[in-house]
Amino acid sequence: MRYTLYLGCVIPAKELNYELSTKKVFEKLGIELKYLENFVCCGFPFESISEETWLRMASYNLALAENIGNDIVTMCNGCANSLIHANKIIKEDKEKREEINKFLTEKFNLSVSGKLNIKHIIHVLYNDVGLERIKENVKNNLNGLRFAVHVGCHIVRPSSYMNFDNPIEPEKMDELIEVTGAESVNYITKHLCCGNYARGINDKVSITLLRRKLEELKDLNVDALVTICPACYLQYEMGQLELRMKEKINLNIPVLHYPQVLGLALGIPVSELGFDQNKIKPKKILEQFK
Amino acid sequence: MILSLKLEDELKKLNSTLCYQCGTCTGTCPVARVEERFNPRRIIDKIKLYGIDSVLNNEEIWYCVECFICMEKCPQNVKITEIFFKLYEEVIKRGIKKPRKYVGLVKAIYSTGVSTGAYGGKPEAFSGLILKKREKMGLPKPVVKEEVAKTIIESTGLNKILED
Ligand code: SF4
Ligand code: SF4
């Protein structure tokens, strides 16, 4: 298995623990990742304010990857959503495809056909590697650890093009937790949006959504909240630091990237999974694996 | 006016006129749950009854967090979230409003190719500090082609949001 890794903006700047743990997990499972060079933003932030800008940005990145030929993998819900959506339009809408190719050829001497599959790491782990093979590779059973998963919105919706899991109550992340031997805790606010996108528009909404989930999790006494998107991760981790500073609310719930959890189960040393970068330390877990 | 008519047509294609006011969207919307001023059902109703111009100046239309729950649940298949996108595009095109969040994003991506650039200090995709940290962790230097973002943003005129 070989993929082109589309890095995106947030992870390579702010979440090196996500990038490192993904790299280590994929290495362990024998999956080759080749970094896409000369990329730009996937266009996601523009989809809502300028459809044409979004589609051109996404298509440029897709065209680069088509030249290399391997399917694309990304670690971000936003990047996955943007690239999958754009790719579908390119594949299915002849008129739009021709329009884009005229632009790409003229400006960058590139063209795009929609021939690649675009995947989030969760798609690769669940569909391509599969639970069976993951299970065979588990060296440390995480029995006794209790995780709350947060899947995020854009990896499952809109289902018309994301089409991966139940779009309202996704379940596959639970299976990916449980294959490690750990428990995926059920909770009321499980499918509630993280609120990251309200930042800079209505900060009160953002913080209220954040608190709803984290306060429930505090009562449930979970070992960590597990995310698969850099925006959700940032919201939950930085949001807690903000609450601590501004409102003296101390929730102290560690937030982990899923590959950090899987990495532990696969027997990858803690020191290679980037835990030094997690700002809220999962003390119990680190104690157990030291 | 002609502009609005074309937009009305696009919204119709997104099923705006099929809304029968059941309120499922507002009932499932995470934002509406915590912010009483936001009510997607009412916004769709206003568009239907009074036209787009009646909501373009409305601050609340920007409160949507694009979670797509309402769109998934709407029994009439009204593309609610995508209707909001059309409104945003129109607001920005007409220069009615320049939301701080989007100005920041366009500025960063326009000058560095990625959204994380340009915050604090001089605009660059990845600061020296980040690159050093990456090297220490055995991660390669990300290769971003900044001028591509600039070319694309200028090609659609979105750079106008950065003016004055
Ligand atoms: S869910 Fe659909 S039909 Fe019901 S009020 Fe909302 S937009 Fe209208
Ligand atoms: S997409 Fe927007 S309007 Fe619809 S449920 Fe989510 S936040 Fe509410």
Side-chain angles (χ1 to χ4, degrees):
Chain A
M1 261 184 253
R2 188 187 287 147
Y3 294 96
T4 291
L5 177 66
Y6 175 79
L7 260 185
C9 304
V10 180
I11 295 163
K14 296 185 176 167
E15 299 180 22
L16 307 187
N17 48 358
Y18 194 11
E19 187 180 337
L20 182 69
S21 55
T22 300
K23 229 178 125 202
K24 295 289 174 184
V25 161
F26 275 46
E27 257 168 43
K28 193 89 184 175
L29 295 169
I31 308 165
E32 206 181 310
L33 286 178
K34 208 170 164 298
Y35 283 67
L36 182 67
E37 298 195 336
N38 298 319
F39 73 97
V40 290
C41 163
C42 70
F44 187 75
F46 299 148
E47 190 168 350
S48 59
I49 56 163
S50 171
E51 192 184 359
E52 209 179 4
T53 313
W54 155 67
L55 197 52
R56 288 181 177 182
M57 296 273 269
S59 303
Y60 164 83
N61 291 303
L62 293 170
L64 282 185
E66 283 190 7
N67 274 345
I68 298 165
N70 302 320
D71 283 347
I72 298 176
V73 67
T74 140
M75 297 171 266
C76 171
N77 287 5
C79 297
N81 190 293
S82 170
L83 297 177
I84 289 171
H85 190 192
N87 200 53
K88 184 175 155 83
I89 291 175
I90 290 161
K91 208 159 44 183
E92 294 173 3
D93 187 333
K94 185 161 171 272
E95 203 178 307
K96 280 247 167 79
R97 179 173 64 241
E98 282 169 1
E99 206 180 292
I100 292 234
N101 275 326
K102 193 164 158 269
F103 173 80
L104 289 178
T105 314
E106 190 188 306
K107 300 284 186 188
F108 313 116
N109 198 19
L110 286 168
S111 71
V112 65
S113 67
K115 68 177 179 182
L116 300 182
N117 296 305
I118 292 95
K119 300 174 182 187
H120 186 286
I121 58 166
I122 293 310
H123 299 139
V124 172
L125 292 169
Y126 193 92
N127 293 336
D128 303 355
V129 178
L131 293 174
E132 271 312 302
R133 224 182 98 207
I134 294 177
K135 201 168 187 176
E136 286 164 18
N137 281 282
V138 169
K139 298 242 159 53
N140 298 321
N141 190 304
L142 303 187
N143 190 357
L145 292 178
R146 299 172 66 247
F147 294 114
V149 299
H150 173 81
V151 178
C153 301
H154 297 111
I155 189 68
V156 286
R157 287 187 299 273
S159 56
S160 58
Y161 54 86
M162 290 315 285
N163 196 20
F164 168 59
D165 201 343
N166 179 329
I168 306 290
E169 296 183 345
E171 295 161 349
K172 291 182 177 170
M173 264 309 290
D174 300 309
E175 295 177 61
L176 283 165
I177 288 287
E178 268 153 14
V179 75
T180 68
E183 180 192 349
S184 179
V185 175
N186 217 346
Y187 61 106
I188 297 167
T189 55
K190 187 170 177 183
H191 305 292
L192 184 67
C193 168
C194 72
N196 181 304
Y197 230 62
R199 295 247 163 207
I201 298 275
N202 187 333
D203 290 342
K204 201 187 103 219
V205 163
S206 182
I207 283 287
T208 312
L209 288 174
L210 170 88
R211 280 184 66 172
R212 287 241 165 141
K213 178 169 297 220
L214 292 176
E215 280 164 3
E216 185 189 0
L217 293 181
K218 188 80 203 166
D219 290 341
L220 290 173
N221 211 3
V222 297
D223 292 306
L225 175 64
V226 180
T227 61
I228 55 168
C229 172
C232 305
Y233 178 90
L234 207 63
Q235 167 77 345
Y236 288 124
E237 189 176 72
M238 295 310 285
Q240 285 190 73
L241 301 187
E242 202 184 313
L243 277 175
R244 191 187 297 171
M245 242 175 48
K246 288 192 187 155
E247 307 196 31
K248 307 266 175 290
I249 295 171
N250 212 342
L251 293 163
N252 225 358
I253 297 163
V255 190
L256 307 182
H257 301 288
Y258 175 68
Q260 293 188 297
V261 174
L262 182 57
L264 289 175
L266 297 179
I268 299 168
V270 173
S271 60
E272 293 178 19
L273 293 169
F275 282 104
D276 55 323
Q277 317 244 332
N278 294 62
K279 297 200 171 66
I280 302 164
K281 297 287 175 232
K283 287 203 192 89
K284 178 174 158 198
I285 298 168
L286 294 178
E287 200 57 35
Q288 193 171 330
F289 287 93
K290 128 177 121 184
Chain B
M1 211 47 215
I2 294 166
L3 260 174
S4 302
L5 282 178
K6 196 175 152 253
L7 188 60
E8 304 269 3
D9 260 2
E10 281 181 49
L11 296 196
K12 243 181 230 159
K13 276 189 211 140
L14 297 173
N15 298 338
S16 63
T17 51
L18 299 185
C19 170
Y20 55 33
Q21 292 292 300
C22 67
T24 304
C25 49
T26 301
T28 50
C29 173
V31 176
R33 231 182 281 176
V34 301
E35 167 60 82
E36 58 185 28
R37 279 176 295 174
F38 186 62
N39 185 337
R41 177 196 56 75
R42 197 179 318 135
I43 295 170
I44 302 290
D45 199 25
K46 274 183 100 176
I47 294 172
K48 240 180 99 175
L49 289 171
Y50 308 130
I52 298 145
D53 288 343
S54 70
V55 295
L56 287 184
N57 287 295
N58 192 328
E59 170 72 26
E60 286 89 75
I61 58 173
W62 295 89
Y63 287 178
C64 167
V65 292
E66 306 178 16
C67 75
F68 291 102
I69 287 250
C70 54
M71 222 170 91
E72 210 64 61
K73 287 227 165 171
C74 172
Q76 287 295 84
N77 201 18
V78 180
K79 306 281 186 190
I80 306 157
T81 324
E82 290 174 16
I83 290 174
F84 282 127
F85 290 2
K86 294 281 177 214
L87 300 178
Y88 299 164
E89 190 146 358
E90 192 65 14
V91 168
I92 285 172
K93 243 192 233 155
R94 293 201 207 165
I96 295 171
K97 190 180 159 69
K98 294 181 176 180
R100 173 167 65 93
K101 170 181 159 179
Y102 287 104
V103 174
L105 282 164
V106 176
K107 191 170 164 197
I109 297 167
Y110 183 76
S111 53
T112 70
V114 288
S115 68
T116 37
Y119 291 128
K122 65 174 187 294
E124 54 191 348
F126 300 99
S127 70
L129 210 71
I130 290 170
L131 292 177
K132 218 184 259 159
K133 208 159 143 193
R134 293 184 59 86
E135 204 186 322
K136 245 176 74 191
M137 291 172 74
L139 300 171
K141 182 171 190 244
V143 185
V144 175
K145 195 121 176 155
E146 310 176 352
E147 51 298 359
V148 168
K150 195 178 214 131
T151 305
I152 293 175
I153 290 171
E154 281 174 3
S155 77
T156 64
L158 184 59
N159 53 311
K160 286 201 191 82
I161 201 176
L162 301 175
E163 282 166 13
D164 77 75

